[in-house]
Structures are given as C-alpha cells and as structure tokens.
Amino acid sequence: MQTRQLGREGPDVSAIGIGAMSFAGFYGETTEAEAHSLLDTAVELGVNHLDTSNVYGMGKSESIIGSYIAQRGGNPFVIATKAGITRDPASGERYFDNSPAHLEEELDKSLSRLGVECVDLFYVHRREAARPIEEVAETLAMLVRKGKTRFVGLSEVAPSTLRRAVAVHPIAAVQSEYSLSTRAPELGLVQECERQGTALVAFSPVGRALLTDRPPTPERIASSAFLSGNPRFVAPNYAANIAASAALRTLAAEAGTSAAALAIAWLLAKSPSVIPIPGTRNPAHLRELVAGANMQLSDAELTRIEDALPVGWAHGDRYTTAQWVGPERYC
C-alpha cells in the first residue's frame, strides 16, 4: 500500500482511507459484524485511515469502530472524526455550532464511543458562518494542547478560509467532495492545500457509486433518503449520468480493471496532497478501490480518462438547495 502524509507534520496514512458513514446505514442497512469484516479486510490490505463523525448514525459509526478496537485488543488505525453539526431540540432544525464548549463536549463523547484517549485528526464538520474562523482555529489548537486530538482539520471550506485558519494553527487536512464527477476543488482548493502543506481528503471519490461498474439502480436510489432527492440521481439527470459514465466503464474494461479502481487512480494522480476516502460496506468493493490506489497511470491514460469524462460532464448539481446549506462556495 502506498502512503501519503496527513498534513505537513502529520502521520503517513494509506493512500486511500475508508469513509465510515457507510457503517451507519447511510447507503443501506449494515450490521456491526459486516462492518467489522470490512475493517478486517482493511487491515489485511494496509488501509489504516478511518474517517467518521459524531453525526454518522448519531454515534453508531464511532461505536462500531470502538467495538472493533476493543474486540481486537488494539487500534490499528489512524482515526479522524468530526463535530459541528447539531439540531435544535425544539424544532429539530439542523444548525452549526463551532463554539469551544460544543466542539469539546462532542469530541469527548466521540472519544468515549471510540474507546480511545485521543484521536489522530479532529475536523470542524461544517463552519459556523457567523463565528470568525480564527476563533475556531484557536479552539482546535486548544483541543490539541489538551491532548484530545493530535491534528485538526476543516470540512467543506473555501481556500480563503483555509488560509485564515492556517495563520492561527496548522490545519492538517481539509475534507471536500472530489472526483471525476465533482471537479470544483481544482478551482483553488487543491492549489491552496498544496501551498499550505494540507492534505485534501476527498470524500465520494467514486461519485456515490456512479463511477463504478455497479452504479445505483432505481430501486437502490428509491430506498435512500439522500440519493432519492439528489439532483444527479433523479430524472432526467439519472439516465443521462448513467449513459455518460459508461465511457469510464468501457475504458476500465479495456484496461482489465474496474471503473472504481480507475476513478481512484485518476484522483490520486491529480495531486500528491489528495487522499480519497471511499465509503463501502463490501470487502470485495474495497479490494477494487485498493487496486486503484496501487495503479500508476501514464499521461496518455489520464488524457483518455479526461477525454471520456471532461470537466462538467455530470448532469445536475452535487447537492440540493437544502444540502448546500453549510458547505462554502468559492467559485
């Protein structure tokens, strides 16, 4: 397994990690035993970077990772978790809280569920727009000083936000959606991460399975609260995206590999700062993704991929209007 550094001063991690939102049933029901089997496969393949959050299943994802660590008698992973998204208890409406009290309280709960004294990386999951990012960076620095996290990160932020935060405290990682179907990070975020020595942790690197040999079926989409309303998976965009992404599946078949592997290999070739964190519940699918992390694409192969799926090929936005509340738009 190739490795990449999680920030300028952070640990080396596997070139791809695992996004553990899938452990909480986001893309379909799964059991603790199934998640543990996937983690066993990850250890076997040398995948040691796990990304979770306090809101994934309201702690379920973290608890599953914690039970795995407890049952195996040790922690083989570099663990990242996140906080900052919460809900009003009266109205149930989602909002963002980056206050020191909230972030520390939620991190303490995450540490308890994970069964560890310190996480390797703690992100602000969504920025609270009214609170200066410099104040948030000071809070993150405080959590490092207290020994509750080794490194800190931000999620779904603009390049300008990263620059301001780094002026206060080193930011090891910025998390953003990045794939052949979502290229916005190339308009400033990739470049800023490279300048700052910050890892760009790319979630949904295979386009929520659109960039695989098994794209979501209408039945699977209908069963998912997220996909059933997502612009790229509703008519007429869904059919158009299935047709367009077929070009990647054709290239992969010609190369004797999977579309998912090719999508991961392409993403890793875009910048040495990029670390994809695909989410999966299936050990066989994880092996496909790891195969992509071990591929080296030539310039000619990269050109063929981008000719097949040029910038802007995807039909529909990556989020609905409601889902766009929180992520920072910068271009």
Side-chain angles (χ1 to χ4, degrees), residues 131-143:
R131 190 180 299 271
I133 193 63
E134 292 81 2
E135 178 185 327
V136 179
E138 288 283 6
T139 297
L140 293 173
M142 174 268 292
L143 295 172

Side-chain angles (χ1 to χ4, degrees), residues 46-97:
V47 176
N48 70 343
H49 178 198
L50 287 185
D51 180 272
T52 185
S53 171
N54 65 332
V55 295
Y56 294 167
M58 302 311 295
K60 180 179 179 181
S61 175
E62 291 176 327
S63 295
I64 286 174
I65 295 169
S67 65
Y68 180 89
I69 292 170
Q71 291 177 23
R72 298 308 188 271
N75 178 18
F77 301 113
V78 173
I79 298 177
T81 194
K82 302 181 281 291
I85 300 174
T86 190
R87 290 191 181 276
D88 184 287
S91 67
E93 289 191 16
R94 187 178 75 152
Y95 69 99
F96 310 119
D97 187 348

Side-chain angles (χ1 to χ4, degrees), residues 154-215:
L154 302 169
S155 178
E156 296 268 46
V157 297
S160 57
T161 296
L162 173 60
R163 285 194 296 273
R164 290 170 57 192
V166 167
V168 176
H169 186 83
I171 301 298
V174 167
Q175 193 165 131
S176 183
E177 183 172 354
Y178 187 22
S179 71
L180 270 165
S181 54
T182 298
R183 304 281 294 271
E186 294 172 14
L187 298 176
L189 189 59
V190 173
Q191 296 87 339
E192 193 62 35
C193 284
E194 290 176 346
R195 281 191 288 269
Q196 301 296 345
T198 296
L200 176 51
V201 176
F203 70 85
S204 297
V206 292
R208 306 187 192 280
L210 193 60
L211 304 171
T212 72
D213 293 324
R214 297 164 298 276

Side-chain angles (χ1 to χ4, degrees), residues 6-18:
L6 198 58
R8 187 169 284 152
E9 300 175 356
D12 288 337
V13 295
S14 49
I16 69 168
I18 293 175

Side-chain angles (χ1 to χ4, degrees), residues 226-286:
F226 180 87
L227 292 181
S228 61
N230 185 274
R232 291 187 174 170
F233 294 91
V234 299
N237 294 336
Y238 169 72
N241 285 327
I242 292 295
S245 60
L248 181 69
R249 289 184 278 279
T250 298
L251 285 180
E254 291 173 355
T257 189
S258 69
L262 209 56
I264 292 292
W266 173 87
L267 189 53
L268 286 166
K270 296 303 289 183
S271 169
S273 68
V274 172
I275 303 173
I277 50 166
T280 182
R281 297 167 293 152
N282 187 310
H285 295 173
L286 180 60

